[in-house]
């Protein structure tokens, strides 16, 4: 129940994210004769944003267009149909985003063209984005209806990337499954790879006359 005096209503609230949007740039040229074409974004410190649809729980803050069509970022191309305009985005050890496309069976191949692949992205990552309350006072671009802004609470959610040396020793066991389950243990490892799963264990169930093994 709401009572006067202990209720605060904040109107015109807008979410603010750490980073700066960059204009679209040419990523490369498509070649319909090639499978799994990939490109590396030269810039570092590309931002990542929370995305529950991705296995890792985050997605690269990029937009990829082939010609005039925006393609969709996915965790992996294994379940993509031949006509799906999908791509994957992964971070290299050097901190660059690697963008890969399909082979015509798992995700659509890139159409042949000259400089027909463009990417726009948001730059900004790390603990520097966790600003103290009151740090944001005015918009980057002037607006006729906005004189200033107020940030009543501290920003949160930003974090530095795990160092490469630490990543090598702490990499999740799911990497060893190569995104395919062969042994019973692989099922548990693949489940733990999903950001919404804290712990998982796979068990083999009695077949009960079935031709295929049953896994819980």
């Amino acid at each position: 129940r709401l009572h006067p005096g202990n209720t605060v209503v904040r109107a015109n609230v807008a979410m603010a994210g750490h980073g700066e949007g960059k204009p679209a740039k040419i990523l490369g040229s498509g070649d319909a004769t090639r499978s799994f074409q990939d490109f590396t974004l030269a810039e570092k410190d590309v931002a990542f944003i929370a995305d529950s649809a991705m296995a890792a729980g985050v997605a690269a803050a990029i937009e990829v267009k082939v010609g005039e069509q925006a393609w969709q970022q996915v965790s992996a191309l294994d379940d993509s149909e031949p006509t799906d305009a999908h791509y994957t985005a992964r971070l290299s050890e050097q901190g660059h985003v690697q963008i890969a496309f399909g082979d015509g069976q798992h995700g659509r191949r890139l159409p042949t063209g000259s400089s027909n692949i463009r990417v726009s992205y948001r730059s900004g990552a790390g603990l520097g984005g966790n600003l103290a309350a009151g740090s944001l006072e005015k918009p980057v671009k002037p607006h006729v209806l906005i004189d200033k802004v107020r940030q009543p609470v501290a920003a949160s959610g930003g974090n530095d990337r795990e160092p490469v040396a630490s990543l090598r020793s702490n990499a999740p066991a799911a990497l060893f499954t190569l995104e395919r389950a062969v042994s019973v243990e692989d099922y548990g490892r693949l489940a733990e790879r999903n950001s919404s799963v804290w712990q998982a264990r796979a068990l083999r169930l009695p077949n009960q006359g079935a031709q295929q093994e049953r896994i819980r």
Side-chain angles (χ1 to χ4, degrees), residues 79 136 203:
D79 297 325
L136 302 179
L203 303 173

Side-chain angles (χ1 to χ4, degrees), residues 11-215:
N12 298 322
V13 175
M15 295 293 291
H18 178 212
E20 180 182 0
K22 301 294 184 179
K25 61 177 297 182
I26 295 174
L27 188 62
S29 301
D31 183 349
T33 66
R34 295 178 56 189
S35 299
F36 300 118
Q37 268 193 275
D38 65 282
F39 304 88
T40 299
L41 192 59
E43 289 74 9
K44 291 186 177 182
D45 293 329
V46 172
F48 279 74
I49 56 176
D51 189 335
S52 60
M54 306 295 283
V58 295
I62 62 176
E63 182 183 57
V64 174
K65 284 190 175 182
V66 180
E68 298 300 322
Q69 181 185 6
W71 286 38
Q72 179 185 353
Q73 186 178 161
V74 295
S75 296
L77 296 169
D78 297 335
D79 297 325
S80 298
E81 298 294 332
T83 58
D84 287 340
H86 291 171
Y87 69 91
T88 60
R90 298 183 178 179
L91 199 64
S92 71
E93 289 186 2
Q94 293 73 34
H96 300 282
V97 175
Q98 297 175 324
I99 301 169
F101 299 87
D103 65 342
Q105 294 186 2
H106 300 286
R108 188 189 306 180
R109 289 193 187 196
L110 286 171
T112 298
S114 177
S115 301
N116 60 333
I117 301 143
R118 303 178 68 86
V119 59
S120 54
Y121 65 97
R122 186 172 177 83
S123 176
L127 289 169
N130 294 338
L131 301 177
S135 299
L136 302 179
E137 297 180 345
K138 63 180 181 179
V140 174
K141 297 181 179 179
H143 193 286
V144 65
L145 299 179
I146 300 176
D147 180 47
K148 62 181 180 178
V149 298
R150 178 173 175 267
Q151 177 200 351
V153 296
S156 61
N159 203 352
D160 290 333
R161 296 190 179 102
E162 186 175 7
V164 173
S166 175
L167 185 61
R168 286 173 174 166
S169 60
N170 297 327
L175 292 176
F176 297 107
T177 67
L178 300 178
E179 299 179 350
R180 282 287 182 268
V182 178
S183 67
V184 175
E185 291 77 10
D186 288 344
Y187 285 92
R189 291 167 177 168
L190 285 170
E192 286 184 332
R193 186 174 179 182
N194 192 290
S195 61
S196 63
V197 177
W198 179 252
Q199 287 182 326
R201 181 184 178 192
L203 303 173
R204 180 184 283 110
L205 300 178
N207 280 5
Q208 297 180 344
Q211 294 183 350
Q212 294 183 337
E213 284 190 320
R214 303 190 323 163
I215 305 295

